[in-house]
PDB file of all heavy atoms in Angstrom:
ATOM      1  N   LYS A 219      85.023 190.146 128.842  1.00 96.00           N
ATOM      2  CA  LYS A 219      85.999 190.463 129.882  1.00 96.00           C
ATOM      3  C   LYS A 219      85.957 191.927 130.290  1.00 96.00           C
ATOM      4  O   LYS A 219      86.164 192.266 131.461  1.00 96.00           O
ATOM      5  CB  LYS A 219      87.413 190.081 129.420  1.00 96.00           C
ATOM      6  CG  LYS A 219      87.632 188.577 129.307  1.00 96.00           C
ATOM      7  CD  LYS A 219      89.052 188.246 128.909  1.00 96.00           C
ATOM      8  CE  LYS A 219      90.029 188.562 130.009  1.00 96.00           C
ATOM      9  NZ  LYS A 219      91.402 188.097 129.690  1.00 96.00           N
ATOM     10  N   GLN A 220      85.707 192.821 129.320  1.00 95.00           N
ATOM     11  CA  GLN A 220      85.689 194.249 129.660  1.00 95.00           C
ATOM     12  C   GLN A 220      84.322 194.717 130.160  1.00 95.00           C
ATOM     13  O   GLN A 220      84.164 195.882 130.502  1.00 95.00           O
ATOM     14  CB  GLN A 220      86.121 195.089 128.452  1.00 95.00           C
ATOM     15  CG  GLN A 220      85.171 195.063 127.275  1.00 95.00           C
ATOM     16  CD  GLN A 220      85.750 195.764 126.050  1.00 95.00           C
ATOM     17  OE1 GLN A 220      86.982 195.861 125.900  1.00 95.00           O
ATOM     18  NE2 GLN A 220      84.895 196.258 125.178  1.00 95.00           N
ATOM     19  N   GLY A 221      83.359 193.796 130.231  1.00 95.00           N
ATOM     20  CA  GLY A 221      82.063 194.126 130.818  1.00 95.00           C
ATOM     21  C   GLY A 221      81.062 194.736 129.868  1.00 95.00           C
ATOM     22  O   GLY A 221      79.974 195.137 130.293  1.00 95.00           O
ATOM     23  N   THR A 222      81.389 194.813 128.592  1.00 95.00           N
ATOM     24  CA  THR A 222      80.426 195.341 127.618  1.00 95.00           C
ATOM     25  C   THR A 222      79.228 194.409 127.499  1.00 95.00           C
ATOM     26  O   THR A 222      78.078 194.853 127.400  1.00 95.00           O
ATOM     27  CB  THR A 222      81.097 195.515 126.243  1.00 95.00           C
ATOM     28  OG1 THR A 222      82.225 196.371 126.377  1.00 95.00           O
ATOM     29  CG2 THR A 222      80.119 196.115 125.230  1.00 95.00           C
ATOM     30  N   VAL A 223      79.492 193.128 127.499  1.00 95.00           N
ATOM     31  CA  VAL A 223      78.452 192.104 127.432  1.00 95.00           C
ATOM     32  C   VAL A 223      78.515 191.300 128.724  1.00 95.00           C
ATOM     33  O   VAL A 223      79.528 190.683 129.031  1.00 95.00           O
ATOM     34  CB  VAL A 223      78.658 191.186 126.211  1.00 95.00           C
ATOM     35  CG1 VAL A 223      77.654 190.054 126.203  1.00 95.00           C
ATOM     36  CG2 VAL A 223      78.567 191.985 124.918  1.00 95.00           C
ATOM     37  N   ARG A 224      77.414 191.306 129.487  1.00 93.00           N
ATOM     38  CA  ARG A 224      77.466 190.713 130.826  1.00 93.00           C
ATOM     39  C   ARG A 224      76.407 189.667 131.109  1.00 93.00           C
ATOM     40  O   ARG A 224      76.569 188.869 132.029  1.00 93.00           O
ATOM     41  CB  ARG A 224      77.340 191.820 131.879  1.00 93.00           C
ATOM     42  CG  ARG A 224      78.479 192.825 131.888  1.00 93.00           C
ATOM     43  CD  ARG A 224      78.143 193.994 132.784  1.00 93.00           C
ATOM     44  NE  ARG A 224      76.989 194.742 132.255  1.00 93.00           N
ATOM     45  CZ  ARG A 224      76.418 195.768 132.885  1.00 93.00           C
ATOM     46  NH1 ARG A 224      76.861 196.139 134.071  1.00 93.00           N
ATOM     47  NH2 ARG A 224      75.391 196.390 132.338  1.00 93.00           N
ATOM     48  N   THR A 225      75.329 189.668 130.367  1.00 94.00           N
ATOM     49  CA  THR A 225      74.214 188.769 130.659  1.00 94.00           C
ATOM     50  C   THR A 225      73.884 187.892 129.458  1.00 94.00           C
ATOM     51  O   THR A 225      74.328 188.158 128.333  1.00 94.00           O
ATOM     52  CB  THR A 225      72.956 189.575 131.026  1.00 94.00           C
ATOM     53  OG1 THR A 225      72.489 190.289 129.869  1.00 94.00           O
ATOM     54  CG2 THR A 225      73.234 190.552 132.159  1.00 94.00           C
ATOM     55  N   GLY A 226      73.066 186.880 129.698  1.00 94.00           N
ATOM     56  CA  GLY A 226      72.645 186.012 128.607  1.00 94.00           C
ATOM     57  C   GLY A 226      71.886 186.762 127.535  1.00 94.00           C
ATOM     58  O   GLY A 226      72.070 186.523 126.341  1.00 94.00           O
ATOM     59  N   ARG A 227      71.013 187.683 127.942  1.00 94.00           N
ATOM     60  CA  ARG A 227      70.264 188.473 126.966  1.00 94.00           C
ATOM     61  C   ARG A 227      71.202 189.304 126.104  1.00 94.00           C
ATOM     62  O   ARG A 227      71.012 189.424 124.884  1.00 94.00           O
ATOM     63  CB  ARG A 227      69.280 189.401 127.682  1.00 94.00           C
ATOM     64  CG  ARG A 227      68.109 188.688 128.342  1.00 94.00           C
ATOM     65  CD  ARG A 227      67.226 189.687 129.066  1.00 94.00           C
ATOM     66  NE  ARG A 227      66.097 189.034 129.729  1.00 94.00           N
ATOM     67  CZ  ARG A 227      65.215 189.678 130.476  1.00 94.00           C
ATOM     68  NH1 ARG A 227      65.327 190.994 130.647  1.00 94.00           N
ATOM     69  NH2 ARG A 227      64.209 189.017 131.051  1.00 94.00           N
ATOM     70  N   GLU A 228      72.216 189.866 126.732  1.00 96.00           N
ATOM     71  CA  GLU A 228      73.165 190.688 125.974  1.00 96.00           C
ATOM     72  C   GLU A 228      74.010 189.830 125.038  1.00 96.00           C
ATOM     73  O   GLU A 228      74.313 190.249 123.915  1.00 96.00           O
ATOM     74  CB  GLU A 228      74.049 191.475 126.951  1.00 96.00           C
ATOM     75  CG  GLU A 228      73.276 192.540 127.716  1.00 96.00           C
ATOM     76  CD  GLU A 228      74.101 193.247 128.773  1.00 96.00           C
ATOM     77  OE1 GLU A 228      75.206 192.749 129.110  1.00 96.00           O
ATOM     78  OE2 GLU A 228      73.648 194.286 129.285  1.00 96.00           O
ATOM     79  N   VAL A 229      74.373 188.659 125.483  1.00 95.00           N
ATOM     80  CA  VAL A 229      75.122 187.740 124.622  1.00 95.00           C
ATOM     81  C   VAL A 229      74.312 187.404 123.375  1.00 95.00           C
ATOM     82  O   VAL A 229      74.817 187.459 122.246  1.00 95.00           O
ATOM     83  CB  VAL A 229      75.486 186.454 125.392  1.00 95.00           C
ATOM     84  CG1 VAL A 229      75.831 185.321 124.433  1.00 95.00           C
ATOM     85  CG2 VAL A 229      76.657 186.710 126.333  1.00 95.00           C
TER      86      VAL A 229
END
Side-chain angles (χ1 to χ4, degrees):
K219 291 183 69 173
Q220 67 188 25
T222 303
V223 175
R224 296 170 295 175
T225 68
R227 290 178 181 177
E228 292 175 346
V229 161

